[in-house]
Amino acid sequence: MYWTILINKKNLYVSIWFIVSLICASCSSKAISDSEKDLENGIQNSTKKNSSYKIKPTKVEIQKIKKQNLDYIIYTNGKVVAQQQAEIGFLANGKIEKVYIQNGDYVRQGQIIASLENIEAVLRLRRAKEEKAIKNDEYRKLFIDFGGEWGDKNSISDTLKQILRTRSGLALSEIQEAEATQSLENSLLKAPFSGKVANLFVSKGTFISASSPICVLYSSGNLEVEAFVPESEVLILSAQKDTKNKPNKATISPITSRANSISYESYLIDINPQVENEGLVKLRFALPSTKEVSQNLLLNMNVTVALHIPQQKKLVVPKEAIVLRSEKEVVFSYKDGRAFWNFVKTGKENGKQIEILEGLKEGQQIIISNNLQLSHDAEVELISTVNEVSNRR
């Protein structure tokens, strides 16, 4: 009896366990089914959303390329020089008595710049004049003794007059007076030409020798620029002295000016017919003779020179039209709302335009903006057409 009841209880437990297992399996299957349906619905919804999203075409500007005069530019550095410039100093040794000007002053030709102590020179001149007066009395006596009438130069011959001047010592005294006068004149330093004074660093009491310059004088109204270019570029240049060709124009800007805010138009006036050791040729450029130039440009100031060299008409594109793809230069052309890349071979450039030697034809429309992210056969949207490079900032 006891075992019968135990067996029945065991069968009951097994039945209950079996029923619970069926219920759990049914719930799990239903949960998995529901999850699969949710995942499937999510994928379908995501697919619908992605199918409705479309990449917008890139907005671009285009330009029709044509042959133009490419203004080739050579950039170099130079220094400001004066058309007339000289280091000036005294012709005699001595101590400076007075300095009449300062650095930067403008002096006129013949104006006194400085003077030396000249007491000895003044005394020599006085003595020479006294001796001349004495010799002149002796000459007058001899003139009368040899039959001449004093005051009448034609009363004796010129040959006899010269002999009497030498015998009386008058001729020698006149030479001594001239030497004393010149010695006194040498104690004054005068401007040999009109200009501006620079590099003056002497003061009263400074001993100066005849071989030592005390300042630099230069014609500030006629400034020029000296610069160097490679010898390979010389043959395409033309200076002002060549009447057959117009001189090459240039833009001069001080290196110290911010963003080259100061610039002056210039032109080439001289090409030195000699190549330096470094393979460079010296050029000279004229600057405008204006007050602004003389104030803003100092002697030996460093400047940048942009030398413009007109060329024959070439097929050119704006510099911003060139992009790199696989380390090669590419220009995107535009046709029917799409961008197509063209491998090109470039030539000379001037900072704004680049010469195209191969890869494009005249009349093609090229993309000149927003081309860095473009790919071949990409869809683009046209926003404007630019006619010339000069219209773009």
Side-chain angles (χ1 to χ4, degrees):
M1 184 69 179
Y2 174 77
W3 290 107
T4 303
I5 294 173
L6 186 60
I7 292 172
N8 291 336
K9 285 183 179 182
K10 185 177 181 180
N11 291 335
L12 179 62
Y13 291 152
V14 171
S15 299
I16 292 173
W17 177 83
F18 181 72
I19 294 171
V20 171
S21 299
L22 289 177
I23 293 173
C24 290
S26 176
C27 291
S28 176
S29 175
K30 184 177 181 181
I32 293 173
S33 178
D34 291 341
S35 298
E36 290 177 351
K37 289 181 180 180
D38 292 340
L39 180 60
E40 183 179 358
N41 292 334
I43 294 174
Q44 290 177 355
N45 293 335
S46 176
T47 304
K48 290 180 180 179
K49 289 181 181 179
N50 290 336
S51 61
S52 63
Y53 177 77
K54 184 179 181 181
I55 299 176
K56 294 182 179 180
T58 304
K59 296 181 179 181
V60 297
E61 293 177 292
I62 65 171
Q63 177 183 329
K64 187 176 182 180
I65 59 173
K66 59 182 180 180
K67 290 185 177 181
Q68 301 180 34
N69 290 323
L70 177 65
D71 196 7
Y72 179 47
I73 301 177
I74 299 176
Y75 293 95
T76 184
N77 293 333
K79 284 185 177 293
V80 176
V81 297
Q83 190 179 57
Q84 193 173 17
Q85 175 182 338
E87 292 183 334
I88 57 176
F90 290 98
L91 297 177
N93 302 329
K95 286 185 179 181
I96 294 179
E97 182 181 38
K98 189 174 182 180
V99 179
Y100 297 89
I101 48 87
Q102 296 178 348
N103 275 318
D105 287 350
Y106 181 84
V107 296
R108 298 191 177 278
Q109 184 176 358
Q111 182 176 339
I112 298 177
I113 296 175
S115 61
L116 295 176
E117 294 179 355
N118 56 7
I119 296 177
E120 293 182 2
V122 171
L123 293 175
R124 282 197 300 269
L125 180 59
R126 287 179 59 185
R127 182 174 61 185
K129 287 183 178 181
E130 293 294 335
E131 291 180 356
K132 178 183 176 182
I134 295 173
K135 300 301 181 182
N136 190 58
D137 287 340
E138 294 181 6
Y139 169 71
R140 183 177 60 179
K141 292 177 182 179
L142 291 174
F143 189 89
I144 296 173
D145 290 344
F146 278 85
E149 183 178 351
W150 187 251
D152 185 3
K153 296 181 180 181
N154 297 324
S155 58
I156 60 175
S157 65
D158 292 339
T159 303
L160 182 57
K161 283 190 292 185
Q162 186 61 39
I163 293 173
L164 296 179
R165 284 169 56 84
T166 303
R167 181 180 295 182
S168 64
L170 179 61
L172 181 60
S173 66
E174 288 178 346
I175 295 175
Q176 291 174 344
E177 182 188 20
E179 289 176 347
T181 302
Q182 185 61 48
S183 178
L184 183 61
E185 185 70 18
N186 290 343
S187 66
L188 300 176
L189 180 61
K190 297 181 180 181
F193 54 88
S194 299
K196 187 177 288 188
V197 177
N199 204 26
L200 175 66
F201 299 105
V202 294
S203 58
K204 181 179 179 179
T206 305
F207 183 85
I208 294 294
S209 61
S211 60
S212 301
I214 70 165
C215 68
V216 173
L217 184 65
Y218 67 97
S219 54
S220 57
N222 297 304
L223 295 178
E224 298 176 351
V225 169
E226 282 187 356
F228 292 87
V229 297
E231 58 181 304
S232 58
E233 308 286 358
V234 173
L235 297 179
I236 59 178
L237 301 178
S238 59
Q240 186 189 30
K241 60 185 179 182
D242 189 352
T243 57
K244 295 181 181 179
N245 299 319
K246 294 182 179 180
N248 291 113
K249 295 182 179 180
T251 303
I252 309 295
S253 301
I255 292 180
T256 55
S257 63
R258 295 183 178 179
N260 293 336
S261 58
I262 301 176
S263 62
Y264 303 100
E265 294 299 323
S266 178
Y267 55 89
L268 181 63
I269 59 173
D270 183 67
I271 302 174
N272 188 30
Q274 176 181 331
V275 179
E276 305 292 335
N277 295 333
E278 299 80 7
L280 302 174
V281 177
K282 182 189 292 185
L283 308 179
R284 290 175 71 91
F285 300 88
L287 285 168
S289 300
T290 62
K291 185 177 180 180
E292 181 186 0
V293 171
S294 62
Q295 289 177 345
N296 292 332
L297 298 182
L298 306 178
L299 196 64
N300 292 330
M301 177 179 279
N302 294 308
V303 295
T304 59
V305 180
L307 178 57
H308 301 262
I309 305 175
Q311 301 286 303
Q312 295 180 350
K313 286 190 174 183
K314 305 287 185 179
L315 191 66
V316 298
V317 299
K319 192 173 182 179
E320 55 267 27
I322 305 289
V323 294
L324 292 178
R325 293 292 186 273
S326 301
E327 298 183 356
K328 294 182 179 180
E329 294 177 315
V330 171
V331 174
F332 283 93
S333 59
Y334 173 84
K335 186 177 181 181
D336 299 331
R338 307 195 77 82
F340 302 93
W341 67 23
N342 304 268
F343 290 103
V344 295
K345 182 180 179 181
T346 59
K348 297 178 180 178
E349 63 174 285
N350 61 7
K352 293 182 179 180
Q353 298 171 303
I354 299 180
E355 178 186 5
I356 299 298
L357 302 177
E358 296 177 4
L360 292 175
K361 295 180 180 180
E362 187 176 7
Q364 280 186 277
Q365 291 181 322
I366 60 171
I367 296 173
I368 59 175
S369 68
N370 294 332
N371 52 359
L372 295 177
Q373 71 275 18
L374 287 179
S375 59
H376 181 66
D377 199 22
E379 186 178 0
V380 293
E381 179 182 349
L382 178 62
I383 57 175
S384 67
T385 301
V386 178
N387 294 324
E388 294 181 359
V389 179
S390 58
N391 292 338
R392 293 179 56 82
R393 291 184 178 180

